[in-house]
Amino acid sequence: MLLDCTPLIADNRPRLSYGMCLWDADGDGQTEIFVTGFGCANRLLKWHQGQLIDVIPAELRDADRLSIGVAAGDCDGDGQEELYVLNTDTFAGPKQVPDRLFDRTAAGWHDCFEEPRHRSLRNLCAGRSVAVLDRLGQGRYGFVVANYGQAVRLYEMTDAGQLHDAARAALIARVINGRSLLAVPWFREDRTDLFIGAEHGPNALYRNEGDGTFREVALCTGMADEEEHARGVAAFDADGDGRLDLVLGNWDGPQRLWIRQRQGAVRDKASPAWAMPTLNRNVVVADFDNDGYEEVFFHNFGEANRLFAWRQGRWASVDVGDAEEMTLFGTGAVVGDIDNDGRLELLLSHGENEEQPLTLYCGPANEHYWLRVQPLTRFAAPARGALVRISAQGRVQTRVIDAGSGYLCQMEPVAHFGLGNVTQVDWLEVVWPGGATVRHHQPALCRTHRIVFPGIP
């Protein structure tokens, strides 16, 4: 199904790359792709004149650091997303190279952790993933860091620009062998909950209590999975009932398809083909062929990638096409409409065992209709964690604006809907963290709709 478009990446020399995120770095309304460099310069890929070129500002290159994870979010309420870059120079415990929290000002990019008032807050623990979380539903995000063998961090910023670690106040400062993160409205549509995938111990699922605190409920919902080693995780409506389900990739263990039951509990409905153990790193859920049904892509390390599609009422393994990658060591995966043609592209990073190039894939050319929705916060920044639905011909599709895609990465802050041959959408609905809701009727097709926060002109 997936076709090789890698030649569209300019200067794609082999390197050690891990996490990536899609993010409007320069405020021009176009999404760029930040690619971390492990012992080499970070990259910022921008679509320009038919190819992806590197436009990384000097302040963000960090060629001497060891970057593996990245996420963007508006933590100061200025309408622009800050960028958290996770550096890791050891497998577990204390580390020497601190993380970065880049903020863009009129003078350029600067690292908030380098300010004297913030240096004591620097994360000097071996982290694995970072995501953003609007725990209060106010349009301002904290950066959640899943550390390995150390406590979870939650960096938030006050109106005065003061950073602080809110993990203890939020009751999520648990020591865990954290690997992956997913911030998603699981229990209630108006609150963002937090899943932390772990290895050598149980996963954690924190239910948002609505007062800024969370309660850990992984065991009672069936998500602890304490015998496995979590990696990629994504939320999507796997059975078409309008509610979110979870796909979890485990490292050399069974891959889960957790279908939602009552009160947020799950049941594993993975078929033998789906559950087959692989060396999984990332899971991507996206409608690559715009037929109106998402596909599930498992990005693996040193073995063939896999793709599942909804066929005749069940999830079936399908030909992954050019993206099989038998000999590449997969580390990161992101999806987005990179060239603005209404079809999604898949960008994969590789490395760890040896230097390898990035790869880029797209779905097959077709005449299917599509619709894209980009909700904005009250500050006009991307509303990561918002729930988006559309209804067409009696069928509802559901998406979540990505706040951090499982392991190391973060997808574009847009809900992409394939429509197949459907020529009219009855309505689209957005539910923001905090509960604000809008509905638009019969939106125009084959375009991106920017949805402003209710009450904002």
Side-chain angles (χ1 to χ4, degrees):
M1 175 182 287
L2 294 171
L3 306 174
D4 189 6
C5 303
T6 303
L8 298 177
I9 307 173
D11 189 22
N12 188 25
R13 66 190 66 181
R15 45 180 270 140
L16 299 181
S17 302
Y18 283 86
M20 301 179 287
C21 92
L22 281 81
W23 154 69
D24 184 4
D26 54 13
D28 68 349
Q30 177 181 342
T31 297
E32 289 80 44
I33 308 164
F34 187 92
V35 183
T36 60
F38 192 81
C40 57
N42 300 320
R43 303 190 72 188
L44 186 65
L45 301 180
K46 187 179 186 69
W47 184 254
H48 179 70
Q49 296 183 350
Q51 61 179 344
L52 284 170
I53 63 171
D54 191 359
V55 295
I56 189 82
E59 308 98 304
L60 302 183
R61 286 177 56 83
D62 261 0
D64 59 344
R65 297 223 175 183
L66 303 170
S67 304
I68 65 166
V70 60
D74 182 11
C75 69
D76 58 6
D78 67 352
Q80 300 178 101
E81 292 192 305
E82 285 68 51
L83 188 76
Y84 194 107
V85 181
L86 184 63
N87 293 287
T88 295
D89 55 27
T90 186
F91 181 80
K95 66 182 180 183
Q96 300 298 314
V97 181
D99 300 341
R100 298 284 208 181
L101 178 52
F102 289 111
D103 185 20
R104 181 159 59 95
T105 67
W109 293 96
H110 81 280
D111 179 10
C112 295
F113 285 129
E114 289 300 311
E115 298 177 27
R117 58 177 174 166
H118 295 148
R119 288 182 64 85
S120 64
L121 290 170
R122 294 180 303 171
N123 183 42
L124 292 172
C125 306
R128 288 299 182 273
S129 290
V130 56
V132 294
L133 174 67
D134 181 4
R135 67 181 173 114
L136 298 172
Q138 297 177 349
R140 292 178 63 157
Y141 294 86
F143 287 97
V144 185
V145 182
N147 286 319
Y148 197 97
Q150 298 285 326
V152 173
R153 298 292 183 93
L154 174 58
Y155 291 106
E156 295 180 343
M157 187 174 287
T158 68
D159 290 338
Q162 177 69 50
L163 277 175
H164 61 104
D165 183 359
R168 287 187 178 276
L171 305 182
I172 64 171
R174 171 181 170 184
V175 175
I176 187 172
N177 292 332
R179 279 287 188 176
S180 53
L181 291 167
L182 184 68
V184 66
W186 182 254
F187 292 98
R188 291 177 45 147
E189 296 181 353
D190 60 342
R191 297 177 187 173
T192 305
D193 307 298
L194 181 67
F195 175 85
I196 306 178
E199 69 177 11
H200 300 298
N203 303 322
L205 176 63
Y206 288 101
R207 186 175 70 185
N208 191 327
E209 299 291 88
D211 58 1
T213 66
F214 294 79
R215 186 159 71 92
E216 209 288 305
V217 294
L219 185 61
C220 64
T221 56
M223 297 189 199
D225 216 18
E226 60 269 19
E227 299 300 321
E228 304 304 329
H229 309 299
R231 293 299 191 273
V233 59
F236 73 119
D237 182 7
D239 56 358
D241 67 354
R243 300 182 301 179
L244 294 174
D245 308 295
L246 285 185
V247 51
L248 176 67
N250 283 310
W251 178 262
D252 201 19
Q255 315 308 327
R256 306 298 190 188
L257 178 57
W258 281 336
I259 301 298
R260 185 186 178 97
Q261 308 296 302
R262 293 181 178 180
Q263 298 180 339
V266 298
R267 179 176 296 175
D268 189 6
K269 295 292 187 71
S271 67
W274 181 296
M276 183 181 72
T278 60
L279 300 181
N280 179 258
R281 279 294 175 88
N282 314 102
V283 177
V284 172
V285 179
D287 188 351
F288 291 109
D289 56 5
N290 278 346
D291 69 346
Y293 294 87
E294 294 171 290
E295 289 79 48
V296 180
F297 177 81
F298 289 92
H299 189 211
N300 294 324
F301 186 86
E303 60 185 57
N305 299 323
R306 301 195 298 154
L307 186 68
F308 288 81
W310 186 252
R311 297 287 187 267
Q312 300 178 340
R314 66 184 183 90
W315 288 101
S317 177
V318 297
D319 184 5
V320 72
D322 296 336
E324 187 178 37
E325 298 193 342
M326 288 285 292
T327 61
L328 295 181
F329 300 105
T331 52
V334 290
V335 66
D337 185 6
I338 293 170
D339 57 3
N340 302 307
D341 67 350
R343 289 187 296 149
L344 295 173
E345 286 77 41
L346 175 68
L347 182 66
L348 304 179
S349 60
H350 313 90
E352 189 163 316
N353 282 13
E354 64 181 64
E355 294 182 342
Q356 295 179 330
L358 304 173
T359 51
L360 180 68
Y361 302 95
C362 65
N366 55 61
E367 300 299 322
H368 291 162
Y369 294 93
W370 51 272
L371 180 70
R372 288 166 59 79
V373 182
Q374 184 176 27
L376 304 177
T377 68
R378 67 188 70 216
F379 306 110
R384 297 188 184 268
L387 192 70
V388 184
R389 292 192 180 97
I390 65 167
S391 177
Q393 295 188 347
R395 177 170 172 260
V396 174
Q397 293 192 54
T398 304
R399 306 282 189 272
V400 177
I401 304 301
D402 190 55
S405 295
Y407 193 52
L408 305 176
C409 298
Q410 188 184 53
M411 310 298 173
E412 65 175 350
V414 180
H416 180 97
F417 298 92
L419 296 170
N421 296 321
V422 173
T423 58
Q424 179 177 297
V425 169
D426 299 321
W427 50 259
L428 74 81
E429 180 181 76
V430 178
V431 182
W432 279 263
T437 305
V438 299
R439 179 176 285 196
H440 294 277
H441 294 276
Q442 296 186 0
L445 305 188
C446 297
R447 60 167 291 186
T448 299
H449 295 265
R450 290 169 61 89
I451 309 297
V452 300
F453 191 82
I456 304 298

